Amino acid sequence: MHFTLNGRAVSFEGAGSRRLLDVLREDLRQTGTKEGCGEGECGACSVLIDGEVVNSCLVAAGQVEGCDVTTVEGLATNGGLSPLQRAFIERGAAQCGICTPGMLLAAHVLLQRTRRPNAAAVREALAGNLCRCTGYTKIIEAVLSCAT
Amino acid sequence: MFEVTQATEVYSTIEIAKGDVAAGEQAADFVVERTFRVGLQEQLYIEPQGAIAYPYRETGNGKRETGVTVVGSLQCPYYVHRALKRALALTDEQAVVIQAETGGGFGGKEEYPSIVAIHAALLACKAGWPVRLIYDRHEDLAATTKRHPGVISHRTAVKKDGTLLSQDIYIVLDGGAYCTLTPVVLSRAAIHAAGAYSCPNVRIRARAVATNTPPNGAFRGFGAPQSLFAAELMVEHVAERLGMSSVDLRRKWMLRVGDTTATGQNLTESVSAELVLDAALRAVAPNRLTAQPPIRHGRGLSLVFHGSGFTGSGERKLSGTVAVAGLANGTFQILTASTEIGQGTKTIFCQLAADALGVGLDKVVLAPQDTSLVPDSGPTVASRTAMIVGRLIQEAATELRDRAKREPLPLRVEKTYVQPDSIHWDEATYRGDAYPVYAWACTIADVDVDMTTGEVRVTDVVTAVDCGKALHPVMAEGQIEGGSLQAVGWATIEEIKMKDGGYQNDRLATYLIPTALDAPRIRTILVENPYSRGPFGAKGIGELPMDGPAPAIIAAIHDATGVWLDEVPATPEKVLAACTSR
């Protein structure tokens, strides 16, 4: 299987029916992607496939043949955190951190598509990513602070 | 499911008595009676339970020696350490427990990780190979402990002018089929049951019983959200009976400096009921929007307190120990078993140490939560980490700074908690100083109720919290906001249906927690009324935000609909049934 992961060509051998989540974590050692429920409810395993947010626990690895996959590791550039990542840190949007990779990716896509989202749009965009620590307030503030 | 009020197997009972309730009732113009029910709740940390066990321990030079090492998602390394020693007949040295980065706890990783660790360790010892044991979400929901459901009855005697004469309270908590930390949960429930009010005559009887459900256990708030829910709604019912505003009645009853609690504790400092009430009321706009049918708006308020640190003699028995070490290279290390589970432990500990040492934050590191390296500073529970452990770190770092002026590095200073002489507690009679100090909160909730579906939408929560001193205001707000939403979930949508003693909705597709779309706008107001023995005056606030929202939401539903619910969660079915039967 061949696909692009965070801008680099990668390949792995094995059953295409395996969960993309497991291939990313176990084979490719990209452990930023987390498992929270394994049934597409919590969004902790969110990744981008060709720019769309998907739950990688529900994607068979064979489906990403030739696709462009982005995980949270792909948000930083040249070892520097993205403005969104920095905003999460500065505004207290990450507490225990397990939902953070998925939150960042969902927020990243929103900000790519909507330069100045309002709070309602942020809530809508993050509704597939559960957080139990923050009450979402600081996450929403962090995303809004990155509107350009 | 066995009916908790009928259950005959009793895990523990508590009786708290102050004054003479019968005399209070005799002098009363009114006696108001009401019974309340609260439901199960799952902690729902986003990272499920999990551990990796190794059938050996590694010494400094990488050599493997007899023993067992467990790396896990957990709150209390030394709890797991004790469990491993007992289960596998290991010595202190042979059992090694290391906390992994932990994706949330909320009490759910206080006790349960010992079970996961022992299972993984047994398998590892048998296989002679490391074993990874991670629960999937379904297994986690089906097997791990939940918040105790309960039934709480109140009889409150008052005079016509609102003078509070007596409170007679009866609590039954459902422990499930096996006993966990249930007796301790019951204790916190009982001690908080009279609410943040001063009453001359109080009787609190509490019992925890066995039923045929999976066991219930530790969950943020630890019994207090259950008993405070009843206490706060009781204020509303008495106010209604008197024809008074419930805010005015709270002002009349609320605890002030010099008052005594139900256990006879004389409150001497950092008593902030009035401060938080005023702060919350100032923060909300008095005018409300007019709602379009079938939606109706409502607003409700609650006033609560929560003890910081372990109950009674708990901190003295624990004797939590920390160390701060100055290394030869000029950096400093904090050694404690207190864990970071999202609440900010790592940050505030480093802040406290750096400040006391007079060095930059970059010169201080927190040693890993590894039982082979760090002393036992006690479990990461009971709103104690900032106040109790943080203070020990501050003391150790201060002493280290002084010694470093005279002695060369490396140096290490240990500090062990010593109970102040002024704290007295009698475990046998439940009289005395139940907690070193209390944190206070006033919560105002706004709701929209859809009168055709019974659906309740919490639109706004404003909460004013006295935390003594916010060591890191952004993180303190974050913890309060998260706790508030967890309480909103408990009050509205988080429901577990039972069948034959088992959970029916034990998947994340069927047990729902609030999403970003469900969550209200939450605004936190930090009030700082310092506590003399907290670091910079800080008190514990980990559990407090779980206490206030539920009763405020039920009061808001009443404001919107004219109907009183006596239970949570306020599901659409219950709201609709209550509105129709009216």
Side-chain angles (χ1 to χ4, degrees), chain B residues 57-58 68-71 74-85 90-100 335-339 367-378 412:
Chain B
R57 67 190 171 97
E58 280 185 5
V68 171
T69 305
V70 169
V71 181
L74 49 90
Q75 289 177 227
C76 313
Y78 274 95
Y79 276 11
V80 180
H81 187 251
R82 203 174 314 148
L84 278 180
K85 282 195 301 179
L90 301 171
T91 64
D92 273 334
E93 225 175 29
Q94 286 169 339
V96 178
V97 178
I98 303 167
Q99 187 219 8
L335 298 110
T336 145
S338 303
T339 53
Q369 276 56 59
D370 173 337
T371 58
S372 69
L373 300 175
V374 297
D376 185 0
S377 55
R412 178 183 159 117

Coordinates of all heavy atoms in Angstrom, one line a residue, chain B residues 57-58 68-71 74-85 90-100 335-339 367-378 412:
Chain B
R57 N 11.9 -5.7 36.6 CA 12.1 -4.2 36.8 C 13.6 -3.9 36.4 O 14.4 -4.8 36.4 CB 11.9 -3.8 38.3 CG 13.0 -4.4 39.2 CD 12.6 -4.1 40.7 NE 13.5 -4.9 41.5 CZ 14.6 -4.3 42.1 NH1 14.9 -3.1 42.0 NH2 15.3 -5.1 42.9
E58 N 13.8 -2.7 35.9 CA 15.1 -2.3 35.4 C 15.8 -1.5 36.5 O 15.1 -0.6 37.0 CB 15.0 -1.6 34.1 CG 14.8 -2.5 32.9 CD 14.8 -1.8 31.6 OE1 15.1 -0.6 31.6 OE2 14.6 -2.5 30.6
V68 N 8.1 -6.6 39.0 CA 7.1 -6.3 38.0 C 7.1 -4.8 37.8 O 7.1 -4.0 38.8 CB 5.8 -6.8 38.4 CG1 4.7 -6.3 37.5 CG2 5.7 -8.3 38.4
T69 N 7.1 -4.3 36.6 CA 6.9 -2.9 36.3 C 5.6 -2.7 35.5 O 5.3 -3.5 34.6 CB 8.1 -2.4 35.4 OG1 9.3 -2.7 36.0 CG2 8.0 -0.9 35.1
V70 N 4.8 -1.7 35.9 CA 3.6 -1.4 35.2 C 3.6 0.1 34.8 O 3.9 0.9 35.7 CB 2.3 -1.7 36.1 CG1 1.1 -1.1 35.4 CG2 2.2 -3.2 36.3
V71 N 3.4 0.3 33.5 CA 3.2 1.7 33.0 C 1.8 1.8 32.6 O 1.3 1.0 31.9 CB 4.1 1.9 31.8 CG1 4.0 3.3 31.3 CG2 5.6 1.6 32.1
L74 N -3.2 6.4 34.7 CA -3.6 6.3 36.1 C -3.4 7.6 36.9 O -2.6 8.4 36.5 CB -2.9 5.1 36.8 CG -1.4 5.1 36.7 CD1 -0.7 5.8 37.8 CD2 -0.9 3.6 36.7
Q75 N -4.2 7.7 38.0 CA -4.1 8.9 38.8 C -3.2 8.7 40.0 O -2.7 9.7 40.5 CB -5.5 9.3 39.3 CG -6.5 9.8 38.3 CD -7.9 10.1 38.9 OE1 -8.8 9.6 38.2 NE2 -8.0 10.7 40.0
C76 N -3.1 7.5 40.5 CA -2.5 7.3 41.8 C -1.4 6.2 41.8 O -1.8 5.0 42.1 CB -3.5 7.0 42.9 SG -5.0 8.1 42.8
P77 N -0.2 6.5 41.4 CA 0.8 5.5 41.3 C 1.0 4.6 42.5 O 1.1 3.4 42.4 CB 2.1 6.2 41.0 CG 1.7 7.6 40.5 CD 0.3 7.8 41.1
Y78 N 0.9 5.2 43.7 CA 1.1 4.4 44.9 C -0.1 3.5 45.3 O 0.1 2.5 46.0 CB 1.6 5.2 46.1 CG 3.1 5.4 46.1 CD1 3.7 6.6 45.5 CD2 3.9 4.5 46.6 CE1 5.0 6.7 45.4 CE2 5.3 4.6 46.5 CZ 5.9 5.7 46.0 OH 7.2 5.9 45.9
Y79 N -1.3 3.8 44.8 CA -2.4 2.9 45.0 C -2.1 1.6 44.2 O -2.3 0.5 44.6 CB -3.7 3.5 44.4 CG -4.4 4.4 45.4 CD1 -3.8 4.9 46.6 CD2 -5.7 4.8 45.1 CE1 -4.5 5.7 47.5 CE2 -6.4 5.7 46.0 CZ -5.8 6.1 47.1 OH -6.4 7.0 48.0
V80 N -1.7 1.8 42.9 CA -1.4 0.6 42.1 C -0.2 -0.2 42.6 O -0.2 -1.4 42.6 CB -1.1 1.1 40.6 CG1 -0.8 -0.1 39.7 CG2 -2.3 1.9 40.1
H81 N 0.8 0.6 43.1 CA 2.0 -0.1 43.8 C 1.5 -1.0 44.9 O 2.0 -2.1 45.0 CB 2.9 1.1 44.3 CG 4.2 0.7 44.8 ND1 4.5 0.7 46.1 CD2 5.3 0.2 44.1 CE1 5.8 0.2 46.3 NE2 6.2 -0.1 45.1
R82 N 0.7 -0.5 45.8 CA 0.2 -1.2 46.9 C -0.6 -2.5 46.4 O -0.4 -3.6 47.0 CB -0.7 -0.4 47.8 CG -0.8 -0.8 49.2 CD -1.6 0.2 50.0 NE -1.2 1.5 49.8 CZ -1.9 2.6 49.8 NH1 -3.2 2.5 50.1 NH2 -1.5 3.8 49.6
A83 N -1.4 -2.3 45.4 CA -2.2 -3.4 44.9 C -1.3 -4.5 44.3 O -1.5 -5.7 44.5 CB -3.2 -2.9 43.8
L84 N -0.3 -4.1 43.6 CA 0.7 -5.1 42.9 C 1.4 -5.8 44.0 O 1.6 -7.1 43.9 CB 1.7 -4.3 42.0 CG 1.3 -3.9 40.6 CD1 2.4 -3.2 40.0 CD2 0.8 -5.1 39.8
K85 N 1.9 -5.1 45.0 CA 2.6 -5.8 46.1 C 1.8 -6.9 46.7 O 2.3 -8.0 47.0 CB 3.0 -4.8 47.2 CG 4.2 -3.9 46.8 CD 4.8 -3.2 48.0 CE 3.7 -2.3 48.7 NZ 4.2 -1.6 49.9
L90 N 5.0 -9.0 46.2 CA 6.3 -8.3 45.9 C 6.7 -7.4 47.0 O 5.9 -7.0 47.8 CB 6.1 -7.4 44.6 CG 5.6 -8.2 43.4 CD1 5.3 -7.2 42.3 CD2 6.7 -9.1 42.9
T91 N 8.0 -7.1 47.1 CA 8.4 -6.1 48.1 C 8.2 -4.7 47.5 O 7.9 -4.5 46.3 CB 9.9 -6.3 48.4 OG1 10.6 -6.0 47.1 CG2 10.2 -7.7 48.8
D92 N 8.4 -3.7 48.4 CA 8.3 -2.3 47.9 C 9.2 -2.0 46.7 O 8.8 -1.4 45.7 CB 8.8 -1.4 49.0 CG 7.8 -1.0 50.0 OD1 6.6 -1.0 49.6 OD2 8.1 -0.7 51.2
E93 N 10.4 -2.6 46.7 CA 11.3 -2.3 45.6 C 11.0 -3.1 44.3 O 11.2 -2.6 43.2 CB 12.7 -2.8 46.1 CG 13.8 -1.8 45.8 CD 15.1 -2.2 46.4 OE1 15.4 -3.4 46.5 OE2 15.9 -1.3 46.6
Q94 N 10.4 -4.3 44.5 CA 10.2 -5.2 43.4 C 9.0 -4.6 42.5 O 8.9 -4.9 41.3 CB 9.9 -6.6 43.8 CG 11.1 -7.3 44.3 CD 10.8 -8.6 45.0 OE1 9.7 -8.8 45.5 NE2 11.7 -9.5 45.0
A95 N 8.0 -4.0 43.1 CA 6.9 -3.4 42.4 C 7.3 -2.0 41.9 O 7.6 -1.1 42.7 CB 5.7 -3.4 43.2
V96 N 7.2 -1.7 40.6 CA 7.5 -0.4 40.1 C 6.3 0.0 39.3 O 5.8 -0.7 38.4 CB 8.7 -0.4 39.2 CG1 9.0 1.0 38.6 CG2 9.9 -0.9 40.0
V97 N 5.7 1.2 39.6 CA 4.6 1.7 38.8 C 4.9 3.1 38.3 O 5.5 4.0 39.0 CB 3.3 1.8 39.7 CG1 2.2 2.4 39.0 CG2 3.0 0.5 40.3
I98 N 4.7 3.3 37.0 CA 5.0 4.5 36.3 C 3.8 5.0 35.6 O 3.1 4.3 34.9 CB 6.2 4.3 35.2 CG1 7.4 3.7 35.9 CG2 6.5 5.5 34.5 CD1 8.4 3.1 34.9
Q99 N 3.5 6.3 35.8 CA 2.3 6.9 35.2 C 2.7 7.2 33.7 O 3.7 7.9 33.5 CB 1.8 8.1 35.9 CG 0.5 8.7 35.3 CD 0.5 10.2 35.2 OE1 1.5 10.9 35.4 NE2 -0.7 10.7 34.8
A100 N 1.9 6.7 32.8 CA 2.0 7.2 31.4 C 1.3 8.5 31.3 O 0.5 8.9 32.1 CB 1.4 6.2 30.4
L335 N 10.2 16.1 43.1 CA 9.9 14.7 43.2 C 8.5 14.5 43.9 O 8.5 14.7 45.1 CB 11.0 13.9 43.8 CG 12.3 14.0 43.0 CD1 13.3 14.8 43.8 CD2 12.9 12.6 42.7
T336 N 7.5 14.1 43.2 CA 6.2 13.8 43.8 C 5.5 12.8 43.0 O 5.7 12.6 41.8 CB 5.4 15.1 43.9 OG1 4.0 14.8 43.6 CG2 5.8 16.1 42.8
A337 N 4.6 12.0 43.7 CA 3.8 11.0 43.0 C 2.5 11.6 42.4 O 1.6 10.9 41.9 CB 3.5 9.9 43.9
S338 N 2.3 12.9 42.6 CA 1.0 13.5 42.2 C 1.1 13.7 40.6 O 2.0 14.1 40.1 CB 0.9 14.9 42.8 OG 0.9 14.8 44.2
T339 N 0.0 13.3 40.0 CA 0.0 13.1 38.6 C -0.7 14.3 37.8 O -1.6 14.9 38.4 CB -0.8 11.8 38.2 OG1 -2.1 11.8 38.8 CG2 0.0 10.6 38.6
A367 N 10.1 15.4 38.1 CA 10.6 14.0 37.9 C 9.4 13.2 37.5 O 8.2 13.5 37.8 CB 11.2 13.4 39.2
P368 N 9.6 12.1 36.7 CA 8.5 11.2 36.3 C 7.8 10.6 37.5 O 8.4 10.4 38.5 CB 9.2 10.1 35.5 CG 10.6 10.5 35.3 CD 10.9 11.6 36.2
Q369 N 6.5 10.4 37.3 CA 5.7 9.8 38.4 C 6.0 8.3 38.4 O 5.2 7.4 37.9 CB 4.2 10.1 38.2 CG 3.8 11.4 38.8 CD 4.6 12.6 38.2 OE1 4.6 12.8 37.0 NE2 5.4 13.3 39.0
D370 N 7.1 7.9 38.9 CA 7.7 6.6 38.9 C 8.0 6.2 40.4 O 8.7 6.9 41.0 CB 8.9 6.6 38.1 CG 9.7 5.3 38.1 OD1 9.6 4.5 39.0 OD2 10.5 5.1 37.1
T371 N 7.3 5.1 40.9 CA 7.4 4.8 42.3 C 8.9 4.4 42.7 O 9.2 4.4 43.9 CB 6.5 3.7 42.7 OG1 6.8 2.5 41.9 CG2 5.0 4.1 42.5
S372 N 9.7 4.1 41.7 CA 11.1 3.8 42.1 C 11.9 5.1 42.3 O 13.1 5.1 42.7 CB 11.7 2.9 41.1 OG 11.9 3.6 39.9
L373 N 11.3 6.2 41.9 CA 12.1 7.5 42.0 C 11.5 8.5 43.0 O 12.2 9.3 43.6 CB 12.1 8.2 40.6 CG 12.7 7.5 39.4 CD1 12.5 8.3 38.1 CD2 14.2 7.3 39.7
V374 N 10.2 8.5 43.1 CA 9.5 9.7 43.8 C 8.9 9.2 45.1 O 8.4 8.0 45.2 CB 8.5 10.4 42.9 CG1 9.1 11.0 41.7 CG2 7.3 9.5 42.5
P375 N 8.9 10.0 46.1 CA 8.2 9.6 47.4 C 6.7 9.7 47.2 O 6.2 10.2 46.2 CB 8.6 10.7 48.4 CG 9.0 11.9 47.5 CD 9.5 11.3 46.2
D376 N 5.9 9.1 48.1 CA 4.5 9.0 48.0 C 3.9 10.3 48.6 O 3.8 10.5 49.8 CB 4.0 7.8 48.9 CG 2.5 7.6 48.7 OD1 1.9 8.4 48.0 OD2 2.0 6.6 49.3
S377 N 3.4 11.1 47.7 CA 2.8 12.4 48.1 C 1.3 12.2 48.2 O 0.6 13.2 48.3 CB 3.1 13.5 47.1 OG 2.8 13.1 45.8
G378 N 0.8 11.0 48.1 CA -0.6 10.7 48.2 C -1.2 10.7 46.9 O -0.6 11.0 45.9
R412 N 19.1 17.8 48.6 CA 17.7 17.3 48.5 C 17.0 17.6 49.8 O 17.5 17.3 50.9 CB 17.8 15.8 48.2 CG 16.4 15.2 48.1 CD 16.6 13.7 47.9 NE 15.4 12.9 48.3 CZ 14.7 12.2 47.4 NH1 15.0 12.1 46.2 NH2 13.6 11.6 47.8

